[in-house]
Amino acid sequence: MNIPDIPNYHALAMLLITALALYFFRREDIPLQTSSLAVISLLGLVFTVFPFHIDGEHLEPSSLFYGFGHEALITVCALMIIGHALVRTGALEPIGRNLAKLWKISPILSLLITLLVAGTLSAFVNNTPIVVLFLPILISVSIRTKTDSSPMLLPMGLATLVGGMTTTIGTSTNLLVVSVASDMGIPRFSMFHFAYPALIAASVAVVYLWLIAPKLLPKRKPTLPDTSPRLFSAYLNINDDSLTVGKTVAEIRKLTENQMSIDFIQRSPDYRNVMPLPDTVIKPGDRLKVKDYPNRLKEFETVLHATLYSGQHKLDAEHPLLEDKQTLAEIVVIQASGLHGKTLKEVNFKQNFGVSVLALHRGGIAMDIGRKSIGNVTIQTGDVLLVQGDDKQVAVLKAARGLLIIDGAADLPQSKKAPLALGILIAVILVAALGILPIAISSICGVLILLATDCISWDDASSALSSQVILIVAASLALGAAMMKTGGALYIAQLFVALAFDLPPAGILSALMLLLAILTNIVSNNAAAVIGTPIAASVANQLNLPVEPFILAVLFGANLSYATPMAYKTNLLVMNAGGYKFSDFMRVGIPLIILMWVTLSFLLSWMYL
């Protein structure tokens, strides 16, 4: 085993920055956007303060920003907008409606067809809108048939990941690997260039997800059952001896540590409604209309020396708190909602929709808010909100853009623009597949047509974009370019070959894929793919073997995001909707990774080596 010589200082710095980047990318307490921006900033500083001029190679610091205009990023953003247009116009609604009917006839056959349809759609559309489409359908089926939803949701979510692996536009990971390989001088892959091995492996995966995975999953209860705490409306009657007499609304709210929210004040003798302005003075006989949890209402009664009323009656066993025909709904926060990175107070959620948020679930468990208001918690994509409101308010919420209702009662939207939006997607794919236009150009033209024909608005287009995706792609491209230019990628490749020197070429190929599969379940799959691509090319050159199978090993390995909920954003959506635990993903995902790894390793070795 020949250990390679230590590389230059710039290459060592890139290896250190890469290690730091992978560490910060997996930190949940630091936004991925912040970590990505930090990587770009650090790279710029390093190559500005310490210019790189070695053996005729030069890296201009400004070139590190090319990722923001890279064709891979442009294509990813354009396809995200087109996918969002399908959801907004309801272009996929007929598929959902017919599948829902089929579930009533044959659940086993329906699961297979659901997996095939979800996987096929994900080969051409970002899998997030596909999961958004299928979650309410499957949850509604489980409610109507009184069956467990666990065997349906997770297999469906993983099927979209498997399907997305089969074309160059199926996932952002595929687009990045293909684009980075093209930048390195490797002939560009066509849309279906690697479809043959991918489809064979996908077929094996679908059989596993259909027949085996449901049996591995224990029965799970919904994350937000109907027994969750609810808000109750009540009146606090201000007695003559109450501490609040003569105080302002602002002052009495301080007595409750600003926890009490007053809807309005009923003032005697005619009990007219008075707005609870901060400087409104409380008088004896006033009745404060409040809404909160029962224990808090009792606490307010004690602190303010008031008397709690339910309607016109004093609160007692015969006159308990009433919910006033309030209904519950569960909302999954998706990227298009515009809530990610903001608090509910910042977006005026209660004022805009007229509903109250009772609970917040993240990562499959309820967050312990304590005495902190839910309205002050920063919302993340994948969070589930339990909201309460009357039927009309919940109906408005269901019609809102970017909010996924998973109570099984939401009607799927459809508009007259649906056929046009679907036709535009098909045209974008056909034009690129036939080689008439590159996918970056055809997808941008597709977005333009969607906007020109009013299928979507600019607000829809902007809400479909993800700052996380944009910055992680730009940072990954910058890091990959720096690794390649400085020789950092070559050093890792030499080290990898030295450690695996006893293995045959097929074994080294398989080991590289397994390394990427492990990495993609820990850190961002885009980062793993972009960093792994130049390493794969260097490994192939070291072994004097064709580059293509090693590039595909990175592409396939980086797509095996099955074993952890944080490995891919749709995993989190499925986890929260189905009430799954971390262990459920490992129980189903690890066997699927091994199955796909073995299948793809054999296929790549057989077809290319």
Side-chain angles (χ1 to χ4, degrees):
M1 180 174 65
N2 297 319
I3 301 297
D5 296 331
I6 300 297
N8 61 74
Y9 290 121
H10 284 86
L12 289 176
M14 289 308 97
L15 295 178
L16 177 60
I17 293 174
T18 300
L20 286 173
L22 295 178
Y23 168 72
F24 283 112
F25 286 160
R26 71 174 305 275
R27 289 280 298 271
E28 296 183 4
D29 57 334
I30 301 176
L32 188 57
Q33 302 96 308
T34 303
S35 298
S36 301
L37 189 60
V39 169
I40 297 173
S41 302
L42 184 58
L43 288 172
L45 284 172
V46 168
F47 286 100
T48 300
V49 178
F50 305 101
F52 177 72
H53 299 280
I54 297 178
D55 298 330
E57 292 286 346
H58 171 68
L59 194 151
E60 183 64 37
S62 61
S63 67
L64 298 169
F65 303 123
Y66 288 171
F68 288 103
H70 198 280
E71 63 173 316
L73 180 57
I74 301 299
T75 307
V76 168
C77 292
L79 291 175
M80 288 172 64
I81 294 173
I82 294 174
H84 183 61
L86 297 181
V87 176
R88 288 291 295 150
T89 61
L92 301 177
E93 188 271 344
I95 297 174
R97 184 176 61 245
N98 291 324
L99 274 177
K101 293 178 180 178
L102 184 60
W103 273 95
K104 299 178 181 178
I105 302 172
S106 174
I108 296 178
L109 179 61
S110 299
L111 177 59
L112 174 60
I113 295 176
T114 298
L115 297 177
L116 291 173
V117 172
T120 301
L121 291 174
S122 296
F124 306 103
V125 182
N126 182 280
N127 66 335
T128 299
I130 308 303
V131 172
V132 167
L133 169 74
F134 279 102
L135 276 179
I137 294 172
L138 297 182
I139 290 175
S140 178
V141 165
S142 69
I143 291 173
R144 288 198 306 267
T145 59
K146 297 182 179 180
T147 57
D148 183 23
S149 62
S150 297
M152 309 177 194
L153 302 185
L154 184 52
M156 178 274 297
L158 296 181
T160 65
L161 298 181
V162 171
M165 185 179 63
T166 56
T167 66
T168 56
I169 65 171
T171 66
S172 58
T173 303
N174 296 3
L175 279 166
L176 282 171
V177 172
V178 170
S179 297
V180 171
S182 178
D183 292 344
M184 294 165 53
I186 300 169
R188 176 171 286 278
F189 295 170
S190 63
M191 184 176 296
F192 301 104
H193 187 91
F194 46 83
Y196 182 57
L199 283 173
I200 295 175
S203 299
V204 174
V206 167
V207 172
Y208 166 81
L209 292 171
W210 178 39
L211 299 177
I212 300 175
K215 294 180 173 60
L216 300 177
L217 289 167
K219 186 175 181 179
R220 295 298 185 196
K221 295 181 180 179
T223 54
L224 302 175
D226 284 344
T227 55
S228 297
R230 306 192 186 194
L231 298 179
F232 293 84
S233 295
Y235 293 89
L236 285 168
N237 190 79
I238 304 303
N239 304 318
D240 293 340
D241 59 348
S242 174
L243 295 176
T244 61
V245 173
K247 296 184 181 295
T248 64
V249 168
E251 289 173 333
I252 67 171
R253 290 193 73 248
K254 285 184 179 180
L255 294 176
T256 63
E257 300 180 16
N258 291 321
Q259 296 297 313
M260 185 175 68
S261 177
I262 304 174
D263 292 340
F264 57 83
I265 302 171
Q266 286 188 345
R267 178 150 292 172
S268 58
D270 54 353
Y271 288 101
R272 58 187 175 87
N273 291 339
V274 177
M275 288 292 294
L277 301 175
D279 57 352
T280 300
V281 177
I282 301 300
K283 299 180 179 180
D286 282 351
R287 303 181 74 196
L288 314 183
K289 174 70 179 299
V290 293
K291 182 187 289 186
D292 216 313
Y293 304 113
N295 59 332
R296 279 195 179 179
L297 291 174
K298 294 297 292 183
E299 181 181 336
F300 298 156
E301 181 184 42
T302 302
V303 170
L304 303 181
H305 291 187
T307 303
L308 198 58
Y309 277 74
S310 177
Q312 299 297 321
H313 303 278
K314 184 178 178 180
L315 189 66
D316 53 30
E318 294 183 3
H319 303 97
L321 289 168
L322 299 176
E323 295 177 74
D324 296 332
K325 298 181 180 180
Q326 298 283 294
T327 60
L328 295 178
E330 299 172 14
I331 302 172
V332 176
V333 177
I334 60 177
Q335 189 63 46
S337 67
L339 294 177
H340 178 83
K342 301 177 181 178
T343 67
L344 297 176
K345 284 188 176 180
E346 288 174 344
V347 298
N348 294 321
F349 190 84
K350 184 175 181 179
Q351 289 77 6
N352 289 335
F353 297 108
V355 296
S356 301
V357 179
L358 307 184
L360 169 63
H361 282 232
R362 179 173 296 166
I365 60 175
M367 289 190 65
D368 184 11
I369 307 297
R371 293 194 64 83
K372 182 180 180 181
S373 171
I374 290 180
N376 294 322
V377 178
T378 301
I379 303 299
Q380 299 179 7
T381 297
D383 285 351
V384 177
L385 305 176
L386 177 66
V387 301
Q388 176 180 311
D390 61 35
D391 293 338
K392 292 182 180 179
Q393 292 168 332
V394 173
V396 171
L397 198 63
K398 290 177 180 179
R401 180 182 65 211
L403 295 178
L404 170 61
I405 308 296
I406 58 174
D407 63 356
D411 294 328
L412 294 172
Q414 189 177 29
S415 70
K416 295 179 180 179
K417 302 287 185 179
L420 179 59
L422 188 58
I424 291 171
L425 171 65
I426 294 173
V428 166
I429 294 170
L430 285 178
V431 168
L434 296 174
I436 300 173
L437 289 174
I439 185 61
I441 304 300
S442 67
S443 58
I444 281 292
C445 291
V447 171
L448 178 61
I449 297 172
L450 287 171
L451 290 166
T453 56
D454 291 328
C455 287
I456 55 171
S457 65
W458 274 108
D459 286 340
D460 293 324
S462 60
S463 66
L465 298 178
S466 166
S467 60
Q468 279 190 341
V469 172
I470 292 171
L471 283 165
I472 188 62
V473 168
S476 299
L477 287 169
L479 197 55
M483 285 276 288
M484 197 67 186
K485 202 81 169 180
T486 61
L490 177 62
Y491 176 74
I492 294 179
Q494 291 173 339
L495 188 62
F496 181 81
V497 171
L499 293 173
F501 75 103
D502 285 333
L503 296 175
I508 296 176
L509 179 74
S510 181
L512 179 63
M513 189 189 306
L514 181 60
L515 175 64
L516 267 294
I518 295 172
L519 198 59
T520 197
N521 282 280
I522 300 174
V523 298
S524 164
N525 53 341
N526 288 337
V530 173
I531 294 169
T533 302
I535 294 173
S538 298
V539 169
N541 292 331
Q542 290 284 311
L543 299 172
N544 293 317
L545 292 172
V547 175
E548 184 176 339
F550 288 88
I551 297 296
L552 291 179
V554 169
L555 185 149
F556 290 141
N559 272 288
L560 304 183
S561 311
Y562 312 141
T564 61
M566 71 283 300
Y568 206 83
K569 56 187 176 183
T570 50
N571 288 3
L572 285 172
L573 294 180
V574 171
M575 181 184 188
N576 281 324
Y580 295 109
K581 295 183 178 180
F582 190 98
S583 59
D584 295 330
F585 280 84
M586 296 184 67
R587 184 181 290 112
V588 172
I590 291 177
L592 182 57
I593 289 174
I594 295 173
L595 188 63
M596 295 290 281
W597 170 56
V598 171
T599 303
L600 288 166
S601 295
F602 169 76
L603 290 171
L604 291 182
S605 301
W606 175 52
M607 296 175 63
Y608 294 96
L609 296 181

